[in-house]
Amino acid sequence: MEDRLFRNAMGKFATGVTVITTNVNGKIHGMTANAFMSISLNPKLVVISIGEKASMLKHVQQSGTFTVNFLSAQQQELSMLFAGQIKEERHVTFGDLQGAPTIEGAIAQVSCEVASAYIEGDHTLFIGRVKNIHLEDGEPLLFFNGRYGALSSETPVQI
Ligand code: FAD
Ligand code: NAD
């Protein structure tokens, strides 16, 4: 099967956008990721998936911790920055959640300790035990079909 067919298909699954942050010996690193899932309520576990070529893989292996920051609709530029799509260096001021680095203004910040890791194909799945959570008001940044978007207030969900 062609890679493009697989990516086009996976791109039809609309997601939010996160930036994974971690602190390695006092240096903070960030990476854009949409492979995120909530796993378990008791205990509270989440999972992220990091590609074998991403520098973030060794950073999380080294630190044993990561924070998942759900970006707001206003943070597309940060998503592009942490995906390597903006070439020039930018200074980012990170927040702090009881010692864990965060993206300020993210609508949810979920700090985790790595509970376990599984290499599957060309990615590593990190199961995170949730330590702390900070929430802020705001709308999410969305990713669909390789494009960014936002919820439309003109089409409210009917339940
Ligand atoms: P680098 O290339 O070292 O860093 C990425 C960028 O972040 C660099 O341009 C750097 O300037 C910037 N940066 C990092 N730290 C800082 C800092 N402290 N201050 C300022 N800038 C900083 N890949 C996955 O493995 N899993 C996913 O789930 C995933 N989902 C994605 C979802 C979307 C919507 C997009 C667009 C990309 C996704 N990617 C995912 C791809 C991933 O974001 C890129 O491959 C990324 O470039 C890999 O980064 P890296 O860890 O190699 O770090
Ligand atoms: P795209 O068409 O490459 O991605 C669409 C969907 O395909 C993504 O949402 C993801 O579900 C899947 N996908 C893409 N690359 C993948 C990979 N290497 N491993 C597993 N699943 C993958 O969208 P785009 O706008 O061209 O993406 C921008 C860049 O970000 C590309 O280089 C892409 O490879 C990368 N990306 C990687 C992942 C990931 O590693 N999980 C996820 C999203 C995007």
Side-chain angles (χ1 to χ4, degrees), residues 17 27-36 49-57 59 79-92 94 123 143 148:
V17 182
K27 188 166 181 351
I28 298 172
H29 305 271
M31 188 195 90
T32 301
N34 70 345
F36 165 82
S49 175
I50 302 184
E52 63 187 1
K53 292 187 182 137
S55 331
M56 184 53 85
L57 177 59
H59 299 323
S79 173
M80 294 174 71
L81 176 70
F82 287 107
Q85 294 167 337
I86 292 177
K87 294 303 166 201
E88 78 261 26
E89 272 194 31
R90 298 266 175 97
H91 178 74
V92 176
F94 294 93
H123 279 58
F143 191 67
Y148 292 100

Side-chain angles (χ1 to χ4, degrees), residues 8-152:
N8 286 351
M10 297 308 123
K12 300 281 182 198
F13 185 61
T15 64
V17 182
T18 81
V19 169
I20 308 298
T21 46
T22 194
N23 184 330
V24 183
N25 301 324
K27 188 166 181 351
I28 298 172
H29 305 271
M31 188 195 90
T32 301
N34 70 345
F36 165 82
M37 186 173 67
S38 167
I39 302 182
S40 160
L41 194 58
N42 188 20
K44 291 174 181 56
L45 300 172
V46 298
V47 64
I48 58 170
S49 175
I50 302 184
E52 63 187 1
K53 292 187 182 137
S55 331
M56 184 53 85
L57 177 59
K58 66 174 185 315
H59 299 323
V60 173
Q61 285 167 339
Q62 274 182 281
S63 68
T65 59
F66 60 86
T67 308
V68 189
N69 302 273
F70 301 0
L71 296 187
S72 78
Q74 285 73 41
Q75 293 180 311
Q76 179 178 330
E77 203 168 299
L78 280 179
S79 173
M80 294 174 71
L81 176 70
F82 287 107
Q85 294 167 337
I86 292 177
K87 294 303 166 201
E88 78 261 26
E89 272 194 31
R90 298 266 175 97
H91 178 74
V92 176
T93 306
F94 294 93
D96 177 276
L97 180 61
Q98 300 196 23
T102 62
I103 298 288
E104 290 180 331
I107 58 174
Q109 305 164 1
V110 182
S111 70
C112 304
E113 275 175 10
V114 173
S116 52
Y118 303 90
I119 299 171
E120 294 295 344
D122 55 15
H123 279 58
T124 298
L125 306 182
F126 288 99
I127 311 295
R129 192 180 302 105
V130 176
K131 304 309 287 181
N132 290 292
I133 290 178
H134 173 76
L135 299 179
E136 292 192 13
D137 289 337
E139 299 285 312
L141 181 63
L142 304 180
F143 191 67
F144 171 68
N145 238 354
R147 295 210 313 268
Y148 292 100
L151 292 173
S152 165

